[in-house]
């Protein structure tokens, strides 16, 4: 099912009737012990924070007692009716980059640190906690505020340990917040989280088969954006995209094509030379967002060169590129200096205290990408077999791509999806935002792919409204039949009634207003309004 005008429209009704359709299932009431833990993690107010109505929590969850490993989380209840909304975990990639530094602070969280002499947070009107209870975790240990008391752990890190610790985190987090255990649970992430998300999903999927009720996670699906999925497809796509977007010369393109074989684990010397030339381009333009400016302001960041680019981690996939600086360069956004504000903010002692962070007083500062992780032990060259298994397992799976990212470009994702080889259910269809084509979708059997036009690597940063729109669509699709009244909704929203609404304008107006006023809509729709139209949707999720 794509975000075609009609289906987007149906999605809105699904969203609107979310609270009608959902039974308030039997909830586990927190014990007094978990209530006390929650209260201890409650974030009352952060320096420079605007007032908000939702609750937030932050703190540590121990994931391995013998080694003393603990992951740091920051959790935001949904802005409206949190007890009826799903829980969504967001993960950034790297490996070694912080979900709080990227996801929370500049992409999809409620609070974005701002520039200035005083600490200041801006409320993000497109925060994803409009749609879900939103959980950010810094993973694995060594990233952000997450730590280990056994420093040798840092040399053992890799995909496997990351997934295991994240799973332990979830089990223990749900013990601390049992009132959310019955909620539908989703995972989303971008970039190298194209590894983390399917791997964690597989662990949950397998563990759930034998889990007792206490440890069962009500896991429904996942979403990955500009995601590393398959080394060969990712690397080939990256080079093809660079040539096609006038980033490299014909000569260099031919050189790379003739000298590199991306199905192999390492390149010949000639190949490496060609790739070095290729990466030089991205010293001067932003690989993660081809058409936005780079930060040239003087920076007070801890170590701007190193934080921006991250350290050189040995051993990560794609194996070819881990040697190059470009691999670790981090993107900038509309404000290309926003990463500096985030590290200034999170390194403040009063902020750390308010967040219950850094309680063990580690010896190094908070950085967006870890300076401590230098080795990465394991990283499969393709996630496609895992994704295929989870598709077969009936999970709801979305893949999306901002189409101006040069790092894991849309071309790479399309090559990877082609390799996956799922039958097409609904071919290339536009979806709309701001009355313009927001991108295209393609529905495969068991997997949905959406592009976001004009967005870079961090899609929610470049296209906040569009990505929230996609998220709402994703997590509210339940295959239920829904009753609704189109006229009533139009009337309530003050949108002129039209005999035959002209798509996409009409639905766009609804989206705009919906984001601002969905609590009022819920009220309206859960009242005693006459139902006038019945829409039997056939929105069984592919
Ligand atoms: C703790 O971590 C170590 C090393 O990563 C592992 O061998 C051990 O099994 C873990 N303990 C538990 C209880 O998971
Ligand atoms: C790590 O060590 C510190 C200091 O001994 C201790 O307070 C903390 O609880 C330990 N962390 C874990 C996860 O065991
Ligand atoms: C950031 O804030 C500092 C101090 O208030 C100011 O000097 C600087 O011009 C600001 N930078 C931007 C990009 O606004
Ligand atoms: C590239 O490497 C793969 C794996 O080693 C090999 O099967 C393939 O034949 C190579 N392709 C070319 C064009 O050499
Ligand atoms: C800012 O950059 C300029 C030029 O590189 C340099 O001369 C100046 O000292 C820098 N200022 C600060 C505060 O770092
Ligand atoms: C910043 O990183 C560079 C490159 O690794 C290093 O040489 C330098 O000492 C670092 N500076 C500080 C202040 O940590
Ligand atoms: C933790 O606190 C110590 C002592 O205040 C500080 O030096 C260090 O930079 C902090 N580290 C992090 C990761 O916040």
């Amino acid at each position: 099912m794509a975000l075609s005008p009609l289906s987007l429209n149906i999605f809105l009704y699904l969203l609107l009737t979310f609270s009608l359709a959902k039974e308030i299932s039997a909830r586990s009431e927190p014990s007094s012990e978990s209530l006390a833990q929650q209260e201890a993690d409650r974030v009352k107010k952060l320096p420079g924070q605007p007032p908000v109505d939702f609750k937030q929590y932050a703190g540590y969850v121990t994931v391995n007692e013998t080694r003393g490993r603990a992951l740091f989380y920051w959790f935001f209840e949904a802005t409206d009716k949190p007890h009826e909304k799903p829980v969504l975990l967001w993960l950034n990639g790297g490996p070694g980059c912080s979900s709080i530094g990227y996801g929370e602070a500049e992409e999809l969280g409620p609070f974005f640190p701002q520039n200035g002499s005083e600490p200041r947070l801006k409320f993000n009107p497109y925060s994803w906690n409009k749609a879900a209870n939103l959980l950010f975790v810094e993973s694995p240990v060594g990233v952000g505020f997450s730590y280990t008391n056994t420093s040798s752990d840092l040399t053992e890190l890799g995909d496997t340990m990351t997934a295991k610790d994240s799973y332990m985190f979830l089990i223990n987090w749900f013990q601390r917040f049992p009132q959310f255990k019955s909620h539908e649970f989703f995972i989303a992430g971008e970039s190298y989280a194209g590894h983390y998300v399917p791997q964690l999903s597989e662990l949950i999927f397998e563990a759930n088969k034998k889990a007792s009720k206490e440890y069962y996670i009500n896991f429904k699906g996942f979403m990955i954006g500009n995601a590393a999925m398959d080394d060969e497809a990712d690397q080939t796509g990256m080079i093809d995209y660079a040539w096609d977007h006038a980033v490299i010369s014909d000569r260099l393109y031919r050189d790379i094509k003739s000298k590199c074989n991306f199905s192999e684990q390492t390149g010949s010397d000639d190949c490496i030379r060609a790739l070095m030339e290729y990466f030089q381009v991205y010293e001067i333009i932003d690989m993660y967002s081809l058409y936005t400016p780079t930060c040239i302001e003087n920076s007070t960041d801890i170590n701007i060169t190193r934080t921006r680019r991250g350290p050189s981690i040995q051993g990560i996939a794609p194996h070819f590129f881990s040697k190059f600086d470009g691999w670790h360069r981090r993107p900038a956004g509309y404000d290309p200096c926003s990463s500096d504000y985030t590290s200034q903010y999170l390194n403040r002692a009063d902020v750390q205290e308010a967040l219950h962070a850094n309680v063990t007083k580690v010896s190094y500062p908070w950085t967006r990408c870890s300076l401590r992780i230098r080795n990465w032990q394991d990283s499969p060259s393709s996630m496609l077999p895992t994704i295929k298994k989870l598709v077969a397992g009936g999970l709801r799976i979305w893949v999306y791509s901002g189409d101006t990212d040069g790092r894991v470009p849309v071309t790479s994702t399309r090559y990877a999806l082609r390799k996956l080889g799922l039958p097409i259910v609904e071919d290339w269809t536009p979806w709309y935002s701001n009355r313009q084509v927001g991108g295209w979708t393609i529905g495969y059997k068991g997997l949905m792919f959406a592009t976001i036009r004009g967005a870079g690597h961090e899609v929610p940063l470049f296209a906040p409204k569009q990505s929230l729109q996609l998220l709402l669509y994703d997590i509210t699709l339940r295959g239920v039949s829904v009753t609704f009244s189109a006229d009533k909704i139009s009337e309530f929203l003050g949108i002129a009634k039209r005999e035959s609404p002209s798509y996409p304008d009409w639905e766009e107006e609804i989206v705009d207003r919906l984001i601002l006023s969905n609590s009022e809509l819920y009220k309206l729709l859960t009242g005693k309004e006459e139902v006038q139209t019945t829409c039997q949707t056939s929105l069984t999720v592919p």
Side-chain angles (χ1 to χ4, degrees):
M1 204 65 223
L3 286 171
S4 59
L6 183 62
S7 61
L8 178 57
N9 193 28
I10 292 168
F11 129 69
L12 286 170
Y13 294 119
L14 281 168
L15 172 69
L16 297 175
T17 51
F18 192 92
S19 60
L20 296 180
K22 188 173 172 77
E23 286 170 44
I24 313 286
S25 48
R27 299 202 292 140
S28 316
E29 291 303 329
S31 64
S32 55
E33 190 197 342
S34 47
L35 274 178
Q37 281 180 321
Q38 289 180 26
E39 204 41 42
D41 283 2
R42 179 81 183 275
V43 177
K44 304 255 161 48
K45 181 137 168 75
L46 289 159
Q49 182 208 300
V52 291
D53 290 335
F54 54 84
K55 289 184 185 161
Q56 46 169 331
Y57 302 84
Y60 287 96
V61 171
T62 299
V63 295
N64 186 305
E65 271 178 31
T66 43
R67 302 280 186 116
R69 292 204 291 266
L71 297 183
F72 182 76
Y73 80 92
W74 194 354
F75 175 60
F76 302 92
E77 288 194 350
T79 52
D80 187 44
K81 293 207 175 1
H83 53 286
E84 289 171 1
K85 300 259 165 73
V87 174
L88 180 106
L89 167 68
W90 173 267
L91 296 171
N92 281 93
C97 294
S98 161
S99 307
I100 287 171
Y102 288 94
E104 195 304 301
E106 64 177 41
E107 297 189 65
L108 54 122
F111 301 129
F112 293 176
Q114 302 296 296
N115 185 39
S117 45
E118 294 296 308
R120 190 160 56 91
L121 294 172
K122 188 180 94 181
F123 181 70
N124 166 22
Y126 299 110
S127 172
W128 285 16
N129 74 332
K130 298 234 161 169
N133 297 289
L134 191 54
L135 178 58
F136 295 94
V137 179
E138 295 191 308
S139 161
V141 291
V143 175
F145 295 121
S146 295
Y147 69 89
T148 174
N149 283 340
T150 310
S151 55
S152 63
D153 277 348
L154 295 177
T155 63
E156 290 169 24
L157 290 175
D159 284 13
T160 306
M161 203 203 276
T162 303
K164 280 189 182 153
D165 281 359
S166 301
Y167 178 72
M168 280 316 295
F169 169 87
L170 287 175
I171 292 295
N172 294 336
W173 187 86
F174 277 115
Q175 300 295 98
R176 193 174 302 178
F177 291 88
Q179 69 268 38
F180 288 103
K181 231 188 255 180
S182 63
H183 290 221
E184 296 195 322
F185 178 68
F186 295 87
I187 313 177
E190 75 192 12
S191 197
Y192 195 76
H195 279 222
Y196 295 163
V197 174
Q199 287 162 341
L200 176 57
S201 297
E202 188 181 18
L203 273 190
I204 298 171
F205 180 76
E206 288 301 327
N208 266 351
K209 288 179 183 168
K210 32 190 195 290
S212 65
K213 193 157 165 265
E214 195 181 358
Y215 297 115
Y216 184 85
I217 296 176
N218 190 14
F219 181 48
K220 293 296 178 192
F222 66 84
M223 181 153 85
I224 47 178
N226 294 82
M229 287 194 282
D230 180 89
D231 287 1
E232 188 277 323
D234 292 350
Q235 294 171 118
T236 305
M238 187 182 183
I239 301 301
D240 289 355
Y241 183 90
W243 180 82
D244 199 48
H245 286 72
V247 170
I248 56 172
S249 70
D250 293 355
R251 199 258 318 139
L252 180 55
Y253 180 67
R254 270 199 311 269
D255 264 12
I256 296 173
K257 282 291 195 188
S258 63
K259 288 171 182 157
C260 298
N261 178 348
F262 291 130
S263 300
E264 290 180 340
Q265 296 280 304
T266 53
S268 63
D269 289 350
D270 282 350
C271 167
I272 301 293
R273 257 192 297 278
L275 289 176
M276 277 166 91
E277 194 180 341
Y278 162 76
F279 272 109
Q280 274 168 16
V281 177
Y282 291 117
E283 297 288 324
I284 50 177
I285 62 170
D286 191 340
M287 179 186 226
Y288 292 83
S289 174
L290 288 193
Y291 306 110
T292 48
T294 53
C295 182
I296 52 171
E297 213 200 23
N298 280 359
S299 174
T300 51
D301 203 343
I302 304 301
N303 190 333
I304 185 63
T305 319
R306 299 199 60 195
T307 0
R308 200 36 76 58
R309 295 189 190 178
S312 220
I313 299 173
Q314 297 303 312
I316 47 156
H319 305 277
F320 268 91
F321 288 159
S322 51
K323 301 179 184 56
F324 299 97
D325 235 10
W327 171 259
H328 295 290
R329 273 240 253 178
R330 303 327 297 174
Y334 286 134
D335 179 346
C337 303
S338 60
S339 61
D340 305 352
Y341 318 147
T342 300
S343 37
Q344 279 161 27
Y345 188 81
L346 290 174
N347 277 301
R348 290 178 62 98
D350 54 355
V351 170
Q352 296 188 354
E353 194 179 336
L355 283 175
H356 319 118
N358 195 14
V359 287
T360 57
K361 299 287 171 217
V362 298
S363 58
Y364 51 88
W366 183 95
T367 52
R368 294 218 306 172
C369 292
S370 177
L371 305 179
R372 311 195 73 227
I373 300 172
R374 300 190 184 279
N375 289 293
W376 201 255
Q377 295 297 345
D378 58 301
S379 168
S381 61
S382 181
M383 292 313 300
L384 298 179
T386 308
I387 293 173
K388 197 166 239 172
K389 170 179 165 184
L390 296 171
V391 165
L395 291 175
R396 198 178 301 166
I397 301 176
W398 275 63
V399 174
Y400 66 87
S401 177
D403 68 7
T404 60
D405 175 26
R407 180 63 199 86
V408 188
V410 66
T411 312
S412 301
T413 303
R414 293 176 77 181
Y415 290 163
L417 291 174
R418 196 196 288 168
K419 282 172 109 169
L420 197 59
L422 298 170
I424 292 171
V425 178
E426 184 173 348
D427 211 348
W428 209 247
T429 310
W431 62 275
Y432 290 89
S433 192
N434 293 332
R435 301 174 197 198
Q436 300 288 336
V437 171
W440 279 268
T441 58
I442 174 166
Y444 294 97
K445 194 159 184 290
L447 184 149
M448 186 80 197
F449 174 54
T451 71
I452 294 89
R453 219 157 60 96
H457 190 69
E458 299 172 274
V459 169
L461 166 71
F462 296 102
K465 183 176 133 187
Q466 290 86 333
S467 63
L468 177 61
Q469 199 177 324
L470 283 173
L471 176 78
L472 290 169
Y473 182 67
D474 178 28
I475 67 176
T476 55
L477 268 179
R478 285 143 210 278
V480 292
S481 58
V482 184
T483 54
F484 64 86
S485 156
D487 286 350
K488 279 243 148 40
I489 292 166
S490 308
E491 199 181 302
F492 172 74
L493 292 170
I495 299 170
K497 263 189 264 181
R498 289 168 206 163
E499 286 295 323
S500 58
S502 78
Y503 299 111
D505 294 15
W506 183 75
E507 67 181 22
E508 268 310 301
E509 282 186 43
I510 293 187
V511 172
D512 279 341
R513 284 153 203 259
L514 178 69
I515 287 173
L516 301 173
S517 66
N518 68 13
S519 69
E520 293 157 78
L521 274 164
Y522 277 118
K523 228 174 284 165
L524 176 89
L525 290 167
T526 52
K528 295 189 179 65
E529 304 295 335
E530 275 298 310
V531 169
Q532 295 173 1
T533 322
T534 300
C535 173
Q536 264 323 105
T537 71
S538 57
L539 288 186
T540 40
V541 181

